[in-house]
Amino acid sequence: MIQKPITVARAEFIENLTSLINTSGLPSFVIEPIMKDFLSDIRLMAQQQLETDRKRYNELLEAEKE
């Protein structure tokens, strides 16, 4: 299976999210707090992924030294 390039996946995500927001029928004052909650959750997930990646990388470096 061919993996979609991250740039294409990103562009499609933006297009889909924009379409969802525009067709939701919800006013911006309802969408805003929803998006803030998502952003907060995504920031936490990104930080967790960074910590996991650093740990794995450091473990690989240590294993390479041995």
Side-chain angles (χ1 to χ4, degrees):
M1 181 177 191
I2 298 175
Q3 187 172 6
K4 190 180 296 188
I6 193 73
T7 52
V8 174
R10 180 185 183 275
E12 289 176 357
F13 177 79
I14 291 169
E15 290 168 10
N16 291 335
L17 185 58
T18 301
S19 177
L20 177 63
I21 289 169
N22 289 338
T23 60
S24 71
L26 295 172
S28 59
F29 73 89
V30 173
I31 295 172
E32 182 185 22
I34 295 168
M35 298 302 288
K36 283 183 180 180
D37 289 344
F38 272 114
L39 180 57
S40 177
D41 291 347
I42 291 168
R43 282 183 176 151
L44 178 60
M45 290 187 309
Q47 184 61 38
Q48 290 170 342
Q49 185 64 54
L50 175 59
E51 291 170 9
T52 299
D53 291 346
R54 279 187 176 150
K55 181 181 177 187
R56 286 184 187 152
Y57 177 65
N58 287 331
E59 288 171 354
L60 287 172
L61 290 176
E62 287 299 318
E64 193 174 89
K65 287 180 184 178
E66 297 174 357

Coordinates of all heavy atoms in Angstrom, one line a residue:
M1 N 0.8 -1.2 0.0 CA 0.0 0.0 0.0 C 0.9 1.2 0.0 O 1.8 1.4 0.8 CB -0.9 0.0 1.2 CG -1.8 1.1 1.3 SD -2.9 1.0 2.8 CE -4.1 2.2 2.4
I2 N 0.6 2.2 -0.9 CA 1.3 3.4 -1.0 C 0.8 4.4 0.1 O -0.4 4.6 0.3 CB 1.2 4.1 -2.4 CG1 1.7 3.1 -3.4 CG2 1.8 5.4 -2.4 CD1 1.5 3.6 -4.8
Q3 N 1.8 4.9 0.9 CA 1.5 5.9 1.9 C 1.4 7.3 1.3 O 2.2 7.7 0.5 CB 2.5 5.9 3.0 CG 2.1 6.7 4.2 CD 3.1 6.5 5.4 OE1 4.1 5.9 5.3 NE2 2.7 7.1 6.5
K4 N 0.3 8.0 1.6 CA 0.1 9.3 1.1 C 1.1 10.3 1.7 O 1.4 10.2 2.9 CB -1.3 9.7 1.6 CG -1.8 11.0 1.0 CD -3.2 11.4 1.5 CE -4.2 10.3 1.1 NZ -5.6 10.7 1.4
P5 N 1.7 11.1 0.9 CA 2.7 12.1 1.4 C 2.0 13.0 2.4 O 0.8 13.3 2.3 CB 3.1 12.9 0.2 CG 2.8 12.0 -1.0 CD 1.6 11.2 -0.6
I6 N 2.8 13.4 3.5 CA 2.2 14.2 4.5 C 1.7 15.5 4.0 O 0.7 16.0 4.6 CB 3.3 14.4 5.7 CG1 2.7 14.9 6.9 CG2 4.4 15.3 5.2 CD1 1.8 14.0 7.7
T7 N 2.3 16.1 3.0 CA 1.8 17.3 2.4 C 0.4 17.2 1.8 O -0.4 18.1 2.0 CB 2.8 17.9 1.4 OG1 3.1 16.9 0.4 CG2 4.1 18.3 2.1
V8 N 0.2 16.1 1.2 CA -1.1 15.8 0.6 C -2.1 15.5 1.6 O -3.2 16.1 1.6 CB -1.0 14.6 -0.4 CG1 -2.4 14.3 -1.0 CG2 -0.1 14.9 -1.6
A9 N -1.8 14.7 2.6 CA -2.7 14.4 3.7 C -3.0 15.7 4.5 O -4.2 15.9 4.9 CB -2.0 13.4 4.7
R10 N -2.1 16.6 4.7 CA -2.3 17.9 5.4 C -3.3 18.7 4.6 O -4.3 19.3 5.1 CB -1.0 18.6 5.6 CG -1.2 20.0 6.3 CD 0.2 20.7 6.3 NE 0.1 22.0 7.0 CZ -0.3 23.1 6.5 NH1 -0.6 23.2 5.2 NH2 -0.4 24.2 7.2
A11 N -3.0 18.9 3.3 CA -3.9 19.7 2.4 C -5.3 19.1 2.4 O -6.3 19.9 2.5 CB -3.4 19.7 1.0
E12 N -5.5 17.8 2.3 CA -6.8 17.2 2.4 C -7.5 17.4 3.7 O -8.7 17.6 3.8 CB -6.7 15.7 2.0 CG -6.4 15.4 0.6 CD -6.2 13.9 0.3 OE1 -6.3 13.1 1.3 OE2 -6.0 13.6 -0.9
F13 N -6.7 17.3 4.8 CA -7.3 17.5 6.1 C -7.8 18.9 6.2 O -9.0 19.2 6.7 CB -6.2 17.3 7.2 CG -6.7 17.6 8.6 CD1 -7.5 16.7 9.3 CD2 -6.4 18.8 9.2 CE1 -7.9 16.9 10.6 CE2 -6.8 19.0 10.5 CZ -7.6 18.1 11.2
I14 N -7.1 19.9 5.8 CA -7.5 21.3 5.8 C -8.8 21.5 5.0 O -9.7 22.2 5.5 CB -6.4 22.3 5.4 CG1 -5.2 22.2 6.4 CG2 -6.9 23.7 5.2 CD1 -4.0 22.9 5.9
E15 N -8.8 20.9 3.8 CA -10.0 21.1 2.9 C -11.2 20.4 3.6 O -12.3 21.0 3.6 CB -9.7 20.4 1.6 CG -8.7 21.1 0.7 CD -8.3 20.3 -0.5 OE1 -8.9 19.2 -0.7 OE2 -7.3 20.7 -1.1
N16 N -11.0 19.2 4.2 CA -12.1 18.6 4.8 C -12.6 19.3 6.1 O -13.8 19.4 6.3 CB -11.8 17.1 5.2 CG -11.6 16.2 4.0 OD1 -12.1 16.5 2.9 ND2 -10.8 15.2 4.1
L17 N -11.7 19.8 6.9 CA -12.1 20.6 8.1 C -12.8 21.8 7.7 O -13.8 22.2 8.3 CB -10.9 20.8 8.9 CG -11.1 21.5 10.3 CD1 -12.0 20.7 11.1 CD2 -9.8 21.7 11.0
T18 N -12.3 22.5 6.7 CA -12.9 23.8 6.2 C -14.3 23.5 5.7 O -15.3 24.2 6.0 CB -12.1 24.4 5.1 OG1 -10.8 24.7 5.6 CG2 -12.7 25.7 4.6
S19 N -14.5 22.4 4.9 CA -15.8 22.1 4.4 C -16.7 21.7 5.6 O -17.9 22.1 5.6 CB -15.7 20.9 3.5 OG -16.9 20.5 3.0
L20 N -16.3 20.9 6.5 CA -17.1 20.6 7.7 C -17.6 21.8 8.4 O -18.8 21.9 8.8 CB -16.3 19.6 8.6 CG -17.1 19.2 9.9 CD1 -18.3 18.4 9.6 CD2 -16.1 18.4 10.8
I21 N -16.7 22.7 8.7 CA -17.0 24.0 9.4 C -18.0 24.8 8.6 O -19.0 25.2 9.2 CB -15.8 24.8 9.7 CG1 -14.9 24.1 10.8 CG2 -16.1 26.2 10.2 CD1 -13.6 24.6 11.0
N22 N -17.8 24.9 7.3 CA -18.6 25.7 6.5 C -20.0 25.1 6.3 O -21.0 25.9 6.1 CB -18.0 26.0 5.1 CG -16.8 26.9 5.2 OD1 -16.7 27.7 6.2 ND2 -15.9 26.8 4.3
T23 N -20.1 23.8 6.3 CA -21.4 23.2 6.1 C -22.1 22.8 7.4 O -23.2 22.2 7.3 CB -21.3 21.9 5.2 OG1 -20.4 21.0 5.8 CG2 -20.7 22.3 3.8
S24 N -21.5 23.0 8.5 CA -22.1 22.6 9.8 C -23.3 23.3 10.2 O -24.2 22.8 10.9 CB -21.1 22.7 10.9 OG -20.9 24.1 11.2
G25 N -23.4 24.6 9.7 CA -24.6 25.4 10.1 C -24.5 26.0 11.5 O -25.4 26.7 11.9
L26 N -23.3 25.7 12.1 CA -23.1 26.3 13.5 C -22.5 27.7 13.4 O -21.6 27.9 12.5 CB -22.2 25.4 14.3 CG -22.8 24.0 14.6 CD1 -21.7 23.1 15.2 CD2 -24.0 24.1 15.5
P27 N -22.9 28.6 14.2 CA -22.3 29.9 14.3 C -20.9 29.8 14.9 O -20.5 28.9 15.6 CB -23.2 30.7 15.1 CG -23.9 29.7 16.0 CD -24.0 28.5 15.2
S28 N -20.1 30.8 14.5 CA -18.7 30.8 15.0 C -18.5 30.7 16.5 O -17.6 30.1 17.0 CB -17.9 32.0 14.4 OG -18.5 33.2 14.8
F29 N -19.4 31.4 17.2 CA -19.3 31.4 18.7 C -19.5 30.0 19.3 O -19.1 29.7 20.4 CB -20.2 32.4 19.3 CG -21.7 32.0 19.3 CD1 -22.3 31.3 20.4 CD2 -22.5 32.4 18.3 CE1 -23.6 31.0 20.4 CE2 -23.9 32.1 18.3 CZ -24.4 31.4 19.3
V30 N -20.1 29.1 18.5 CA -20.3 27.7 19.0 C -19.0 26.9 18.5 O -18.6 26.0 19.3 CB -21.6 27.1 18.4 CG1 -21.6 25.6 18.7 CG2 -22.8 27.8 18.9
I31 N -18.5 27.1 17.4 CA -17.4 26.4 16.8 C -16.1 26.8 17.6 O -15.3 25.9 17.9 CB -17.2 26.7 15.3 CG1 -18.4 26.1 14.6 CG2 -15.9 26.1 14.8 CD1 -18.4 26.5 13.1
E32 N -16.0 28.0 18.0 CA -14.7 28.5 18.6 C -14.3 27.6 19.9 O -13.2 27.2 19.9 CB -14.8 29.9 19.0 CG -13.5 30.4 19.6 CD -13.6 31.9 20.1 OE1 -14.7 32.4 20.3 OE2 -12.5 32.5 20.2
P33 N -15.2 27.5 20.8 CA -14.8 26.7 22.0 C -14.5 25.2 21.7 O -13.6 24.6 22.3 CB -15.9 26.8 23.0 CG -17.1 27.3 22.2 CD -16.5 28.0 21.0
I34 N -15.2 24.7 20.7 CA -14.9 23.3 20.3 C -13.5 23.2 19.7 O -12.7 22.3 20.0 CB -15.9 22.9 19.2 CG1 -17.3 22.8 19.8 CG2 -15.5 21.5 18.6 CD1 -18.5 22.6 18.8
M35 N -13.1 24.2 18.9 CA -11.8 24.2 18.3 C -10.7 24.4 19.3 O -9.6 23.8 19.3 CB -11.7 25.3 17.2 CG -12.7 25.0 16.0 SD -12.4 23.4 15.2 CE -10.9 23.7 14.4
K36 N -11.0 25.2 20.3 CA -10.1 25.5 21.4 C -9.8 24.2 22.2 O -8.7 23.8 22.5 CB -10.6 26.5 22.4 CG -10.4 27.9 21.9 CD -10.8 28.9 22.9 CE -10.7 30.4 22.4 NZ -11.1 31.4 23.3
D37 N -10.9 23.4 22.4 CA -10.7 22.1 23.1 C -9.9 21.1 22.3 O -9.0 20.5 22.8 CB -12.1 21.5 23.4 CG -12.8 22.2 24.5 OD1 -12.2 23.0 25.3 OD2 -14.1 22.0 24.6
F38 N -10.1 21.1 21.0 CA -9.4 20.2 20.1 C -7.9 20.7 20.1 O -7.0 19.8 20.2 CB -9.9 20.3 18.7 CG -11.0 19.3 18.4 CD1 -12.3 19.7 18.1 CD2 -10.7 17.9 18.4 CE1 -13.3 18.8 17.9 CE2 -11.7 17.0 18.1 CZ -13.0 17.4 17.9
L39 N -7.6 21.9 20.0 CA -6.3 22.4 20.0 C -5.5 22.1 21.3 O -4.4 21.6 21.3 CB -6.2 24.0 19.8 CG -4.9 24.6 19.8 CD1 -4.0 24.0 18.7 CD2 -5.0 26.1 19.6
S40 N -6.2 22.2 22.4 CA -5.6 21.8 23.7 C -5.3 20.3 23.7 O -4.2 19.9 24.1 CB -6.6 22.1 24.8 OG -6.1 21.7 26.1
D41 N -6.2 19.5 23.3 CA -6.0 18.0 23.2 C -4.8 17.7 22.3 O -4.0 16.8 22.6 CB -7.2 17.3 22.8 CG -8.3 17.4 23.8 OD1 -8.1 17.7 25.0 OD2 -9.5 17.0 23.4
I42 N -4.8 18.3 21.1 CA -3.7 18.1 20.1 C -2.4 18.5 20.7 O -1.4 17.8 20.5 CB -4.1 18.8 18.8 CG1 -5.3 18.1 18.2 CG2 -2.9 18.8 17.9 CD1 -5.9 18.8 17.0
R43 N -2.3 19.6 21.4 CA -1.0 20.1 21.9 C -0.5 19.0 22.9 O 0.7 18.7 23.0 CB -1.2 21.4 22.6 CG -1.2 22.6 21.7 CD -1.3 23.9 22.4 NE -1.2 25.0 21.5 CZ -1.8 26.1 21.6 NH1 -2.5 26.4 22.7 NH2 -1.6 27.1 20.7
L44 N -1.4 18.5 23.8 CA -1.0 17.5 24.7 C -0.5 16.2 24.0 O 0.5 15.6 24.4 CB -2.2 17.1 25.6 CG -2.0 16.0 26.7 CD1 -0.9 16.4 27.6 CD2 -3.3 15.8 27.4
M45 N -1.2 15.8 23.0 CA -0.8 14.6 22.2 C 0.5 14.8 21.5 O 1.4 13.9 21.5 CB -1.9 14.2 21.2 CG -3.1 13.7 21.8 SD -4.4 13.0 20.6 CE -4.6 14.3 19.4
A46 N 0.7 16.0 21.0 CA 2.0 16.3 20.4 C 3.2 16.3 21.4 O 4.2 15.8 21.1 CB 2.0 17.7 19.7
Q47 N 2.9 16.8 22.6 CA 4.0 16.8 23.6 C 4.2 15.4 24.0 O 5.4 15.0 24.2 CB 3.5 17.6 24.8 CG 4.6 17.7 25.9 CD 5.8 18.4 25.4 OE1 5.8 19.3 24.7 NE2 7.0 17.9 25.9
Q48 N 3.2 14.5 24.2 CA 3.4 13.1 24.5 C 4.2 12.4 23.5 O 5.1 11.6 23.8 CB 2.1 12.5 24.8 CG 1.4 13.0 26.1 CD -0.1 12.5 26.2 OE1 -0.7 12.0 25.2 NE2 -0.6 12.5 27.4
Q49 N 3.9 12.7 22.2 CA 4.6 12.0 21.1 C 6.1 12.4 21.1 O 7.0 11.6 20.9 CB 4.0 12.4 19.8 CG 4.6 11.6 18.6 CD 4.4 10.1 18.7 OE1 3.3 9.7 18.8 NE2 5.5 9.4 18.6
L50 N 6.3 13.7 21.3 CA 7.7 14.2 21.4 C 8.5 13.5 22.5 O 9.6 13.0 22.3 CB 7.8 15.7 21.7 CG 9.1 16.3 21.9 CD1 10.1 16.1 20.7 CD2 9.0 17.8 22.2
E51 N 7.9 13.4 23.7 CA 8.5 12.7 24.8 C 8.8 11.2 24.5 O 9.9 10.7 24.8 CB 7.7 12.8 26.1 CG 7.6 14.2 26.6 CD 6.6 14.4 27.7 OE1 6.0 13.4 28.2 OE2 6.4 15.6 28.1
T52 N 7.8 10.5 23.8 CA 8.0 9.1 23.4 C 9.1 9.0 22.4 O 10.0 8.1 22.5 CB 6.7 8.6 22.8 OG1 5.7 8.6 23.8 CG2 6.9 7.2 22.3
D53 N 9.1 9.9 21.4 CA 10.2 9.9 20.4 C 11.6 10.1 21.0 O 12.5 9.4 20.6 CB 9.9 10.9 19.3 CG 8.7 10.5 18.5 OD1 8.2 9.4 18.5 OD2 8.2 11.4 17.7
R54 N 11.7 11.1 21.9 CA 13.0 11.3 22.6 C 13.4 10.1 23.3 O 14.6 9.7 23.3 CB 12.9 12.5 23.5 CG 12.9 13.8 22.8 CD 13.0 15.0 23.8 NE 13.2 16.2 23.1 CZ 12.7 17.4 23.6 NH1 12.1 17.4 24.7 NH2 12.9 18.5 22.9
K55 N 12.5 9.5 24.1 CA 12.9 8.3 24.8 C 13.4 7.2 23.9 O 14.4 6.6 24.2 CB 11.7 7.8 25.7 CG 12.0 6.6 26.5 CD 10.7 6.2 27.3 CE 11.1 4.9 28.1 NZ 9.9 4.3 28.7
R56 N 12.7 6.9 22.9 CA 13.1 5.9 21.9 C 14.4 6.2 21.3 O 15.3 5.3 21.1 CB 12.0 5.7 20.8 CG 10.8 5.0 21.3 CD 9.8 4.8 20.1 NE 8.6 4.2 20.7 CZ 7.4 4.4 20.1 NH1 7.3 5.1 19.0 NH2 6.3 3.9 20.6
Y57 N 14.6 7.4 20.9 CA 15.8 7.9 20.3 C 17.0 7.7 21.2 O 18.1 7.2 20.9 CB 15.7 9.3 19.8 CG 17.0 9.9 19.2 CD1 17.5 9.4 18.0 CD2 17.7 10.9 19.8 CE1 18.6 9.9 17.5 CE2 18.8 11.4 19.3 CZ 19.3 10.9 18.1 OH 20.4 11.4 17.6
N58 N 16.8 8.1 22.5 CA 17.9 8.0 23.5 C 18.2 6.5 23.7 O 19.4 6.1 23.9 CB 17.5 8.7 24.8 CG 17.6 10.2 24.6 OD1 18.4 10.7 23.8 ND2 16.8 10.9 25.4
E59 N 17.2 5.7 23.8 CA 17.4 4.2 23.9 C 18.2 3.6 22.8 O 19.1 2.8 23.0 CB 16.1 3.5 24.1 CG 15.4 3.8 25.4 CD 13.9 3.2 25.4 OE1 13.4 2.7 24.4 OE2 13.3 3.3 26.5
L60 N 17.9 4.1 21.6 CA 18.6 3.6 20.4 C 20.1 4.1 20.5 O 21.0 3.3 20.1 CB 18.0 4.1 19.1 CG 16.7 3.5 18.7 CD1 16.0 4.2 17.5 CD2 16.9 2.0 18.4
L61 N 20.3 5.3 20.9 CA 21.7 5.8 21.0 C 22.5 5.0 22.1 O 23.6 4.7 21.8 CB 21.7 7.3 21.4 CG 21.2 8.3 20.4 CD1 21.2 9.7 20.9 CD2 22.1 8.2 19.1
E62 N 21.8 4.7 23.2 CA 22.5 3.9 24.2 C 22.8 2.5 23.7 O 23.9 2.0 24.0 CB 21.6 3.9 25.5 CG 21.5 5.2 26.2 CD 22.9 5.6 26.8 OE1 23.7 4.8 27.2 OE2 23.2 6.8 26.6
A63 N 21.9 1.9 23.0 CA 22.1 0.6 22.5 C 23.2 0.5 21.5 O 24.0 -0.4 21.4 CB 20.8 0.0 21.9
E64 N 23.3 1.6 20.7 CA 24.4 1.7 19.7 C 25.8 1.8 20.3 O 26.7 1.4 19.8 CB 24.1 2.9 18.8 CG 24.9 3.0 17.5 CD 24.5 4.1 16.6 OE1 25.1 5.2 16.8 OE2 23.6 3.9 15.8
K65 N 25.8 2.5 21.5 CA 27.1 2.6 22.2 C 27.6 1.3 22.8 O 28.8 1.1 22.9 CB 26.9 3.6 23.4 CG 26.8 5.0 23.0 CD 26.6 5.9 24.2 CE 26.4 7.4 23.8 NZ 26.2 8.2 25.0
E66 N 26.7 0.4 23.1 CA 27.0 -0.9 23.7 C 27.6 -1.9 22.7 O 27.8 -1.9 21.6 CB 25.8 -1.5 24.4 CG 25.3 -0.7 25.5 CD 24.0 -1.2 26.1 OE1 23.5 -2.2 25.6 OE2 23.6 -0.6 27.1

